[in-house]
């Protein structure tokens, strides 16, 4: 099911463009995550060990490894198409692992030989329901070294106690001002990719997994719920270090 580099480059470039429709200040958010990981690993001996949860085609690992060229990055996703795009387009950025975050035994699939310095994620964890999220946070806390961090860049709305509607509106206005105008969105990207004959086998495998991939999406938890669950899971401190509208970077320290 291997891909040519030219095919992977084409589809990853189109992925990067369509993803800008969905994330406020996407590159800034990536930069903030890299800032945190660089800070938390500064001065430590040995190679930093980082896991990326929901890596897609390797967007965050590719940026992290430019900042931290000595880092060992384990990139995790459940989508065989996106994983193969990452392996082909960003082969040196990470070791890619095919597993579903929160599923039984998923952490064992990572093949870690020492505690993590950081676990990072972008727009992946908000898909998990409350029970799965708490279980995942607890597993991550057990995998991180003391002082290690979970850094999550995601869409995390405010709860009823805050100006949720205004915050969401401010974020949409910011996104509209900065958007790279492209007619391609998530759905049309997948529709176009499905017509590429080089991806036939990978798409068949994705369809085979269709039920778990496309199961009902739980209601998104507000930022306050994530912070509460992180503290329940054993993280000492947790809070946002960057936020615009509903787009946040949350850091939890083990």
């Amino acid at each position: 099911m291997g891909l040519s580099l030219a095919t992977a480059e084409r589809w990853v470039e189109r992925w990067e463009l369509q993803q800008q429709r969905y994330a406020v200040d996407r590159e800034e958010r990536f930069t903030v995550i890299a800032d945190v990981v660089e800070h938390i690993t500064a001065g430590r001996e040995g190679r930093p060990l980082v896991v990326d949860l929901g890596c897609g085609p390797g967007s965050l690992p590719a940026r992290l490894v430019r900042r931290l060229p000595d880092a060992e990055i384990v990139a995790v996703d459940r989508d065989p198409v996106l994983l193969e795009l990452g392996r082909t387009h960003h082969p040196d950025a990470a070791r890619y692992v095919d597993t579903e975050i929160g599923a039984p035994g998923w952490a064992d699939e990572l093949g870690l030989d020492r505690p993590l310095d950081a676990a990072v994620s972008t727009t992946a964890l908000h898909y998990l329901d409350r029970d799965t999220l708490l279980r995942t946070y607890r597993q991550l806390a057990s995998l991180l070294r003391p002082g290690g961090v979970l850094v999550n860049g995601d869409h995390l709305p405010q709860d009823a106690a805050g100006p949720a509607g205004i915050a969401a509106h401010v974020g949409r206005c910011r996104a509209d001002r900065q958007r790279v105008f492209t007619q391609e969105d998530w759905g049309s990207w997948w529709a176009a990719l499905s017509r590429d004959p080089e991806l036939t086998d990978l798409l068949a495998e994705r369809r085979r997994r269709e039920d778990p991939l496309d199961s009902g999406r739980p209601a998104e938890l507000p930022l306050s719920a994530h912070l509460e669950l992180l503290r329940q899971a054993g993280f000492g401190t947790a809070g946002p270090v960057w936020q615009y509208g509903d787009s946040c970077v949350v850091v939890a320290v083990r």
Side-chain angles (χ1 to χ4, degrees):
M1 287 194 275
L3 297 180
S4 68
L5 179 58
T7 295
E9 285 179 344
R10 180 171 68 256
W11 289 112
V12 171
E13 286 173 4
R14 289 173 64 168
W15 169 272
E16 294 285 342
L17 283 174
Q18 59 95 353
Q19 282 291 291
Q20 292 183 45
R21 299 170 64 101
Y22 303 105
V24 177
D25 284 335
R26 184 170 183 256
E27 285 301 327
E28 176 72 9
R29 194 167 66 183
F30 283 141
T31 299
V32 170
I33 292 170
D35 288 343
V36 174
V37 176
E38 183 179 55
H39 173 71
I40 209 70
T41 59
R44 288 184 59 82
E45 295 184 3
R47 297 180 66 193
L49 180 59
V50 181
V51 64
D52 178 22
L53 306 166
C55 65
S59 299
L60 180 53
R63 289 160 172 83
L64 279 176
V65 80
R66 289 198 291 267
R67 180 77 73 87
L68 300 165
D70 293 332
E72 179 183 349
I73 301 174
V74 181
V76 180
D77 209 289
R78 62 181 181 175
D79 191 306
V81 175
L82 298 180
L83 279 171
E84 193 61 28
L85 290 174
R87 287 190 186 104
T88 306
H89 190 250
H90 302 299
D92 300 324
R95 173 169 60 85
Y96 295 88
V97 175
D98 185 348
T99 192
E100 181 175 355
I101 301 162
W106 78 274
D108 296 332
E109 297 293 326
L110 303 181
L112 303 179
D113 60 1
R114 62 189 189 280
L116 290 167
D117 291 289
V120 299
S121 186
T122 53
T123 57
L125 298 182
H126 71 264
Y127 287 99
L128 302 180
D129 63 64
R130 190 183 190 95
D131 290 343
T132 304
L133 191 61
L134 177 57
R135 183 170 64 250
T136 300
Y137 282 160
R138 283 176 172 155
Q139 291 168 319
L140 291 171
S142 72
L143 294 173
L144 285 160
R145 64 167 175 82
V149 293
L150 168 62
V151 193
N152 182 25
D154 212 335
H155 308 304
L156 304 177
Q158 297 190 36
D159 59 24
I166 294 174
H169 173 73
V170 168
R172 287 193 297 270
C173 289
R174 175 77 165 184
D176 287 343
R177 288 193 295 270
Q178 295 194 330
R179 182 168 292 151
V180 174
F181 288 96
T182 172
Q183 293 184 343
E184 194 160 66
D185 59 13
W186 170 270
S188 59
W189 184 87
W190 279 106
L193 182 138
S194 69
R195 296 190 290 271
D196 190 324
E198 197 172 338
L199 290 154
T200 299
D201 291 344
L202 285 165
L203 287 162
E205 174 61 18
R206 188 176 194 271
R207 285 191 295 273
R208 189 183 69 79
R209 307 180 189 188
E210 198 165 43
D211 287 344
L213 279 170
D214 300 322
S215 59
R217 180 175 171 180
E220 293 181 7
L221 297 173
L223 171 60
S224 59
H226 281 265
L227 299 181
E228 175 191 345
L229 292 174
L230 285 163
R231 295 182 184 110
Q232 287 182 31
F235 287 90
T237 58
V241 298
W242 178 92
Q243 184 170 3
Y244 205 109
D246 290 344
S247 185
C248 302
V249 175
V250 172
V251 174
V253 182
R254 174 72 173 88

